[in-house]
Amino acid sequence: MINKTASHFDINVYDSPYSRDAILQQLLSDYEEVAWLERGNGFKEGVIKTANIRGLNLENRNLQVSFIEEIKSYIAEKSMDVTWFNDNIFLKIAQGIYYEQLFTNPALNDTIAQIYVVNDNHTGASIKFLNKDLSIPLEKGKLIVFPSSEEYSYLIDGVTSGELLVGICYIDR
């Protein structure tokens, strides 16, 4: 059951346990399947390096599709048009590492961002909306949906132990 637990500005937060969570966890924990590439600011982006790209891509699509009702509801609530999934990535964030999205890439503006917290073997993680004075703790099963624009620039950090895994999707509108 997916419950909307909070709404701040145009940011909706849901409690969204993923029904195929065990499969996704296995795919993401198998480091022979996923290469975590170092990117700017110290964050790591999950990139497939073996023949099982189909399995993880399919599971990533299943994850996004499982939240389609929440996305449709969000779109209707905000009077937006039909959407299509644009980009899907997984990020791994450990202590001392952060991910910042300032939406300086014009391709990401005018999309909807969807962030799903995949795991619970971390402590202290949060997403901070830099222009909204808003911070939301990142706990397993939390789904956060918001407009992609400079107004909603965000920072994911604060991991004090373990590693945070998040799935991020940008959806055309």
Side-chain angles (χ1 to χ4, degrees):
M1 182 74 175
I2 298 177
N3 297 313
K4 183 175 175 181
T5 58
S7 185
H8 309 282
F9 309 103
D10 280 339
I11 302 164
N12 286 1
V13 181
Y14 303 88
D15 181 17
S16 315
Y18 177 47
S19 62
R20 297 170 50 92
D21 186 61
I23 295 167
L24 181 61
Q25 292 282 337
Q26 179 59 39
L27 286 168
L28 287 172
S29 68
D30 188 346
Y31 287 86
E32 293 180 4
E33 299 293 341
V34 179
W36 295 98
L37 299 181
E38 298 283 342
R39 299 292 190 201
N41 300 330
F43 83 91
K44 297 179 182 181
E45 181 177 346
V47 179
I48 311 310
K49 72 173 189 176
T50 69
N52 198 15
I53 187 168
R54 180 179 292 161
L56 188 56
N57 280 347
L58 178 60
E59 202 53 45
N60 194 350
R61 183 61 64 199
N62 287 339
L63 174 67
Q64 306 311 324
V65 169
S66 72
F67 300 133
I68 198 68
E69 291 307 314
E70 285 64 42
I71 298 302
K72 285 180 181 177
S73 171
Y74 182 87
I75 290 164
E77 185 180 297
K78 308 299 180 196
S79 300
M80 296 177 183
D81 293 329
V82 178
T83 67
W84 185 252
F85 298 110
N86 180 1
D87 191 19
N88 300 304
I89 60 172
F90 286 101
L91 301 179
K92 179 188 290 189
I93 302 171
Q95 185 175 359
I97 295 174
Y98 66 94
Y99 173 71
E100 185 174 50
Q101 177 57 267
L102 300 177
F103 295 110
T104 56
N105 178 349
L108 292 180
N109 283 322
D110 207 32
T111 64
I112 297 170
Q114 170 185 316
I115 298 175
Y116 177 72
V117 182
V118 176
N119 68 338
D120 62 0
N121 64 339
H122 65 277
T123 58
S126 66
I127 180 170
K128 296 175 181 83
F129 290 90
L130 304 174
N131 298 318
K132 296 292 182 187
D133 192 32
L134 176 66
S135 180
I136 300 169
L138 295 178
E139 301 158 348
K140 181 178 179 179
K142 195 165 276 189
L143 173 70
I144 304 167
V145 181
F146 55 94
S148 302
S149 70
E150 287 184 48
E151 181 181 358
Y152 291 91
S153 295
Y154 65 90
L155 174 74
I156 298 175
D157 75 346
V159 175
T160 55
S161 68
E163 293 178 322
L164 166 69
L165 294 175
V166 292
I168 299 177
C169 179
Y170 296 102
I171 305 166
D172 289 334
R173 57 178 171 147

